[in-house]
Amino acid sequence: MLSVNEAENIIFNLVKPLNNQTDIETVNLLTATGRVLASPVTSQIDFPHWDNSAMDGYAVVYQDVREANEEKPAVLKLVEDIPAGYQPQSNIQSGQAARIFTGAVMPKGADTVVMQENTRREDDKVFILKAPESQEFVRHRAAYYQAGTELLSAGIQLNAPEIAVLAAAQCTKLNVFRRPSVAILSTGDELITPEQTLQPGQIVDSNQYALAALVKQCGGEPLILGIIKDDREAIKKAIEEAIAKADIVLSSGGVSVGDYDYVEKILESLGGEIKVRAVAMKPGKPLTVATFNIPNAPIYFGLPGNPVSALVSYWRFVQPVIKKCSSIVEGWQPKFIKAQTRNNLNSNGKRETYIWGKLNLVDGVYQFSAAAGSKSSGNLINLAQTNAFAVLEVGKKSVSTGEEVKVLQV
């Protein structure tokens, strides 16, 4: 049985990111949210597009106002009003000023903006009551970005800030990586769909729905293959289909040591090389990871059937794999922080233990609250609203309320 760190190193090193030549799509800006750039983006627009004012006030020649004060204000003649969106018509000469508003284009000749609060206006004259700094409140053309240089680099995920930048830069067609395809199947004679009538001894298959939702959330494309009964040929056929279609395969159930746990033997019969058989973690000990020595073969994850075990294994190992496969350059790794626990946390110390709950930032300090009720791997109910897991490493049997604990954010 591998330690969690050993399993992580093996699994993450198996990942081959998508190819930036063959695995790309062109999308428009409105459908680009969450996608990963496959090539750098440049724009032909400077930011700012032109010299403009950062303040409501008056555009002036600095030399005219450099010694102005309330006792001896500089008096300038107003020659133009310049609202945002207007092209200035005047060339500001010494002794002149233009009324200007935030975002408006600076007129030629002016090099500084005096904020409105430091002025007094009388008819066509403005009195400057306080000397500004040279070039104060002027945003210069190309100060933020110069046209033709790299605006956004390949390998970043496009979220709201990046979408805003691309819209402003008029970059509306983007080369992005396709979404990694993730085949999902559940095994077990006891499983039924949520639409079926529950009979004694049966269990509703929640894993397939949860895994599909999680795959979508991290940028993958779920391929739902349904429930497969505990029949060798049926499972083999489903796995063959999944291997042929997907970049990553997730099955749940059938990976323990029971009489009907066929997955590992079927994988080997299909030429699969088992890289991980079990991990010293709780919940989530049964975990099968396999690869195939054929072109474009997926990574296969045989997850535990217990709902919490399946999801813990997903968050700890599979989610980073999907993100890395999608060709995100940074931020695909699991995210751990230190937090103060609001509960006593306990473990037998034999395996790395994951206790689910909620992480909140309170007065600048991260606090972890364990979910109420049973911590059984079959108790799916109190997993609702989970956004983190406290991690008790091997040999660590308890963490007392108020102490610091390692937390996995999900």
Side-chain angles (χ1 to χ4, degrees):
M1 184 162 53
L2 298 173
S3 71
V4 173
N5 287 340
E6 288 171 332
E8 178 188 82
N9 288 334
I10 291 170
I11 292 167
F12 293 172
N13 284 328
L14 296 175
V15 183
K16 295 179 181 178
L18 296 174
N19 188 292
N20 64 0
Q21 300 297 318
T22 59
D23 292 324
I24 63 173
E25 302 172 346
T26 300
V27 299
N28 64 55
L29 189 57
L30 286 175
T31 61
T33 303
R35 305 303 294 271
V36 178
L37 276 178
S39 57
V41 175
T42 61
S43 173
Q44 299 309 306
I45 302 174
D46 291 322
F47 284 86
H49 311 321
W50 43 74
D51 291 356
N52 70 90
S53 175
M55 187 68 65
D56 289 350
Y58 295 88
V60 302
V61 178
Y62 175 70
Q63 289 300 322
D64 288 343
V65 298
R66 59 193 299 266
E67 296 181 356
N69 56 60
E70 290 191 15
E71 289 74 30
K72 191 175 181 181
V75 184
L76 306 173
K77 182 179 180 180
L78 289 170
V79 297
E80 188 173 17
D81 279 8
I82 308 173
Y86 173 80
Q87 181 62 40
Q89 303 299 307
S90 302
N91 189 338
I92 304 301
Q93 306 292 327
S94 180
Q96 296 179 336
R99 179 77 168 105
I100 196 166
F101 297 87
T102 303
V105 178
M106 287 289 291
K108 291 181 180 179
D111 58 13
T112 301
V113 172
V114 179
M115 65 188 298
Q116 181 175 313
E117 291 84 345
N118 294 332
T119 68
R120 184 179 78 250
R121 182 171 178 172
E122 294 182 7
D123 299 324
D124 65 346
K125 292 183 175 60
V126 61
F127 293 75
I128 308 302
L129 306 177
K130 182 179 179 181
E133 298 291 331
S134 177
Q135 302 185 59
E136 191 169 22
F137 299 124
V138 176
R139 296 184 290 220
H140 293 282
R141 179 173 181 169
Y144 307 153
Y145 169 78
Q146 186 174 4
T149 60
E150 186 174 292
L151 180 65
L152 296 177
S153 58
I156 68 170
Q157 189 172 43
L158 300 176
N159 295 310
E162 293 76 27
I163 296 295
V165 168
L166 292 166
Q170 296 186 315
C171 300
T172 59
K173 296 293 183 182
L174 305 164
N175 290 330
V176 298
F177 289 101
R178 66 175 176 82
R179 299 181 189 276
S181 55
V182 183
I184 302 171
L185 60 110
S186 299
T187 66
D189 288 340
E190 74 280 14
L191 299 178
I192 63 168
T193 69
E195 295 80 15
Q196 292 177 289
T197 301
L198 190 64
Q199 301 295 330
Q202 293 183 327
I203 300 172
V204 177
D205 176 24
S206 62
N207 286 350
Q208 195 154 188
Y209 290 81
L211 292 171
L214 289 168
V215 167
K216 286 182 180 179
Q217 286 176 9
C218 72
E221 187 69 39
L223 307 175
I224 308 300
L225 300 186
I227 297 170
I228 314 301
K229 296 299 182 182
D230 285 324
D231 176 83
R232 286 180 184 271
E233 287 305 311
I235 295 174
K236 182 177 180 181
K237 183 178 179 181
I239 291 176
E240 285 179 314
E241 180 184 356
I243 291 170
K245 288 182 174 180
D247 299 300
I248 298 163
V249 179
L250 308 180
S251 68
S252 62
V255 293
S256 191
V257 292
D259 292 343
Y260 299 100
D261 293 325
Y262 301 136
V263 169
E264 192 170 302
K265 292 179 180 179
I266 290 171
L267 291 172
E268 290 176 326
S269 74
L270 294 172
E273 182 179 350
I274 308 299
K275 302 291 187 178
V276 176
R277 297 180 186 273
V279 183
M281 62 187 293
K282 182 181 180 180
K285 175 184 172 182
L287 177 66
T288 297
V289 181
T291 57
F292 301 85
N293 190 25
I294 55 177
N296 302 315
I299 302 175
Y300 190 102
F301 287 90
L303 303 176
N306 280 335
V308 177
S309 298
L311 297 187
V312 172
S313 297
Y314 174 90
W315 275 312
R316 187 61 183 86
F317 300 116
V318 181
Q319 181 168 276
V321 165
I322 296 173
K323 290 183 176 181
K324 185 177 181 182
C325 181
S326 72
S327 292
I328 293 175
V329 174
E330 296 179 345
W332 57 265
Q333 299 92 338
K335 295 179 181 179
F336 293 96
I337 65 167
K338 293 292 186 179
Q340 184 184 81
T341 178
R342 298 183 63 186
N343 312 92
N344 292 325
L345 307 176
N346 298 292
S347 164
N348 63 16
K350 295 179 181 180
R351 287 182 275 158
E352 187 164 292
T353 300
Y354 290 72
I355 300 171
W356 53 99
K358 294 185 70 173
L359 183 70
N360 293 294
L361 187 62
V362 180
D363 296 330
V365 177
Y366 280 107
Q367 294 187 355
F368 175 81
S369 300
S374 168
K375 302 302 185 296
S376 166
S377 60
N379 182 11
L380 181 63
I381 301 303
N382 69 353
L383 197 66
Q385 298 296 296
T386 288
N387 66 357
F389 289 83
V391 181
L392 275 62
E393 297 175 346
V394 175
K396 187 78 170 179
K397 293 187 176 182
S398 65
V399 178
S400 299
T401 300
E403 290 185 343
E404 190 176 75
V405 66
K406 180 180 177 181
V407 173
L408 170 66
Q409 291 181 280
V410 298

